[in-house]
Amino acid sequence: MRYLDLPIAFLDAVTVVIGRAFSWLTLFMVLMTFVNVLLRYVFGLSIIAAYETVVYAFGIVMTSVAGWALLTDQHVRIDVFYGRMSARKQAAVNVVGSVLFLAPLLYVITDRSIGYVSRSWKLRETSNEIAGLDYLYVLKTFILVFVVVLAIQGLSFLLRNLRVLILGFDPAPLAGPDQGKNTPNAEQVKQ
């Protein structure tokens, strides 16, 4: 199973780079929100493009860090029985979930959004607001970015859990305090 280490590590590294890069937009959103509040309540100015900048940044962050959320086990999971399961059963749940839910979801989003994004690019779609931003088509492109980043990490997640399903533990758990929670390692299996 060592032959899976390199692809998993590569996919995880891509996910981390993308997630960390786009997560910095969160700081930008906070600063822009502060500026918007200051302009509105102190100076009596309301700039539509400034408000839309925060909305665009939020959309970009939420779509581009989805893979990172899956990698660091920050995704939504209804954990009624999962936490009490053995490593192999958890891996089986993760594999089945990846194949039956994640893959079809990504396919449907891709299928439904390619035409939508393509039309937006052809029209160079802009905001409906008169003084809004001119780049709505770029924002809509992040629907496809969402699919790509989640597919990259979904593949890594699937490979990692297949390895756990076969071996009973993860021989190469992720480094870091908040990573690797979604696949049990050898020490967790012994407990």
Side-chain angles (χ1 to χ4, degrees):
M1 296 270 73
R2 283 297 199 204
Y3 57 88
L4 291 178
D5 289 351
L6 187 60
I8 290 171
F10 175 75
L11 294 170
D12 288 351
V14 169
T15 298
V16 168
V17 167
I18 292 169
R20 285 188 176 154
F22 282 102
S23 69
W24 281 100
L25 280 177
T26 306
L27 177 61
F28 172 77
M29 287 189 311
V30 170
L31 295 174
M32 279 303 295
T33 301
F34 174 74
V35 168
N36 285 334
V37 169
L38 190 68
L39 287 173
R40 178 161 178 125
Y41 294 105
V42 175
F43 298 108
L45 298 171
S46 180
I47 302 171
I48 301 291
Y51 285 109
E52 284 190 354
T53 301
V54 175
V55 173
Y56 277 41
F58 180 77
I60 291 169
V61 168
M62 290 299 112
T63 54
S64 60
V65 301
W68 199 22
L70 180 59
L71 174 67
T72 58
D73 202 30
Q74 302 299 313
H75 58 289
V76 175
R77 176 187 290 133
I78 301 171
D79 190 1
V80 177
F81 304 107
Y82 184 86
R84 297 181 194 150
M85 292 180 176
S86 70
R88 281 199 167 104
K89 287 180 182 176
Q90 287 180 352
V93 168
N94 291 337
V95 167
V96 169
S98 297
V99 172
L100 291 182
F101 299 112
L102 182 61
L105 172 73
L106 295 177
Y107 172 77
V108 169
I109 292 173
T110 303
D111 183 56
R112 301 287 189 237
S113 62
I114 286 179
Y116 178 72
V117 172
S118 176
R119 278 188 300 277
S120 186
W121 271 86
K122 285 178 187 173
L123 298 171
R124 295 284 194 248
E125 192 173 4
T126 62
S127 173
N128 289 332
E129 302 295 328
I130 293 173
L133 296 176
D134 291 334
Y135 306 105
L136 186 58
Y137 58 97
V138 174
L139 179 62
K140 287 184 177 183
T141 303
F142 275 86
I143 297 169
L144 298 175
V145 170
F146 169 79
V147 170
V148 170
V149 297
L150 202 51
I152 288 170
Q153 190 51 44
L155 179 58
S156 172
F157 185 71
L158 177 65
L159 293 174
R160 185 177 295 278
N161 281 286
L162 282 172
R163 184 170 59 188
V164 171
L165 195 58
I166 294 165
L167 298 177
F169 65 95
D170 189 356
L174 298 168
D178 62 343
Q179 295 179 337
K181 294 178 187 173
N182 55 5
T183 53
N185 60 30
E187 292 154 12
Q188 292 169 325
V189 172
K190 291 176 185 174
Q191 294 177 352

